[in-house]
Amino acid sequence: METKAIICQNLTKQFGDFKAVDNISFEVDQGEIFGFLGANGAGKTTAMRILCGLSYPTSGDATVAGFNVYKQQEKIKKNIGYMSQKFSLYDNLTILENIEFYGGVYGVSGSEIKKRSTELVYTLGLENEARKLVGTLPLGWKQKLAFSVAIFHRPKIVFLDEPTGGVDPITRRQFWDMIYQAAADGITVFVTTHYMDEAEYCNRISVMVDGRVEAIDTPFNLKKKFNTHSMDEVFYQLAREAKRSGD
């Protein structure tokens, strides 16, 4: 049985003479919460686009949910969820309409959408708001809903790109409770974040610098290796060697 959700081998993305992603290799286990860190310009966004089936690598190889990034991009897209800081919800649709819309996009049957929608609204405690426009929701609720929609079709992997930007620490902690639950349900979580306290919540972390993976390990082991009690300091020690900026 395949135990690796993502396998990257010498993955490279080049634009002319510029290597946005420079020969990176790593593996992510099924059900793992994997932090993908790096300063602006490190190459995180470019790498994530390849893994989401939105861009082809220049060289190297990778599989996502068992599908090849060169030949099976459409199958990758059907087996992953995605959420960014900018969300993907429609403010001018109600909560239920958003859920139904994305359920259809992800290929969930009509009867299953109805069943799961009822369960989701109840789980989020939004029964009284289900027919309200998403645009009227507080930011924290939008984020929780966006995450729930991203895993509505029960994907094998969910990619979260800076998912908790702009909200208070308590709401961020609640959001991470949802991430833990998704991982417990078997969904692999691949997350980028600028918050180093969130890096502590991950099973393992990779840190990219100038297109390369410069460190990869558990938060505990990285802090031990860099002789510090803080992930902020680990990140600073690595990122200060960066030569470029802007993904």
Side-chain angles (χ1 to χ4, degrees):
M1 179 180 172
E2 178 64 66
T3 60
K4 301 298 180 184
I6 299 171
I7 301 173
C8 274
Q9 297 172 317
N10 308 118
L11 200 67
T12 297
K13 180 67 174 184
Q14 195 156 338
F15 300 95
D17 295 330
F18 176 69
K19 286 186 178 179
V21 177
D22 188 1
N23 201 43
I24 65 173
S25 296
F26 63 87
E27 296 180 349
V28 180
D29 293 331
Q30 284 187 0
E32 184 174 18
I33 301 173
F34 186 81
F36 198 58
L37 310 184
N40 288 338
K44 303 187 308 297
T45 300
T46 303
M48 187 179 277
R49 284 181 57 80
I50 293 170
L51 297 177
C52 288
L54 299 173
S55 176
Y56 289 108
T58 304
S59 61
D61 208 356
T63 59
V64 178
F67 301 108
N68 184 273
V69 293
Y70 291 99
K71 301 175 182 177
Q72 297 174 298
Q73 286 188 333
E74 291 309 310
K75 287 187 177 180
I76 288 174
K77 292 172 190 173
K78 288 179 181 177
N79 283 275
I80 65 170
Y82 175 81
M83 174 191 166
S84 76
Q85 184 179 348
K86 295 182 174 64
F87 310 122
S88 50
L89 301 174
Y90 289 98
D91 281 349
N92 59 344
L93 295 180
T94 67
I95 291 171
L96 275 177
E97 286 169 343
N98 268 281
I99 295 170
E100 289 165 2
F101 173 76
Y102 281 103
V105 167
Y106 284 129
V108 182
S109 70
S111 58
E112 195 64 22
I113 288 174
K114 188 172 182 180
K115 175 172 168 279
R116 292 188 200 176
S117 295
T118 303
E119 292 172 356
L120 175 55
V121 167
Y122 176 79
T123 301
L124 290 175
L126 291 173
E127 300 100 314
N128 295 330
E129 285 78 25
R131 302 198 180 278
K132 289 185 178 178
L133 295 179
V134 161
T136 66
L137 290 178
L139 180 60
W141 282 111
K142 279 188 184 180
Q143 284 177 310
K144 292 173 187 175
L145 180 61
F147 177 68
S148 299
V149 166
I151 61 172
F152 187 77
H153 58 305
R154 297 175 184 165
K156 294 179 180 177
I157 304 166
V158 62
F159 289 87
L160 306 177
D161 192 4
E162 306 285 352
T164 59
V167 298
D168 63 89
I170 293 174
T171 303
R172 280 202 283 130
R173 180 66 244 195
Q174 291 171 343
F175 188 89
W176 273 88
D177 287 340
M178 295 177 71
I179 290 177
Y180 283 140
Q181 184 58 56
D185 291 339
I187 296 175
T188 303
V189 180
F190 188 99
V191 57
T192 73
T193 178
H194 278 137
Y195 298 110
M196 288 303 106
D197 61 320
E198 291 189 346
E200 300 272 5
Y201 304 154
C202 299
N203 299 126
R204 285 189 305 139
I205 296 161
S206 74
V207 183
M208 283 189 76
V209 179
D210 290 347
R212 299 180 301 275
V213 172
E214 291 293 346
I216 183 167
D217 212 328
T218 65
F220 177 84
N221 287 344
L222 285 174
K223 286 184 288 186
K224 187 175 179 181
K225 177 181 178 181
F226 287 89
N227 194 29
T228 178
H229 298 290
S230 161
M231 275 307 302
D232 269 310
E233 181 59 27
V234 171
F235 186 77
Y236 173 71
Q237 288 187 44
L238 287 163
R240 68 184 176 188
E241 304 297 326
K243 304 287 193 298
R244 69 195 200 198
S245 62
D247 259 357

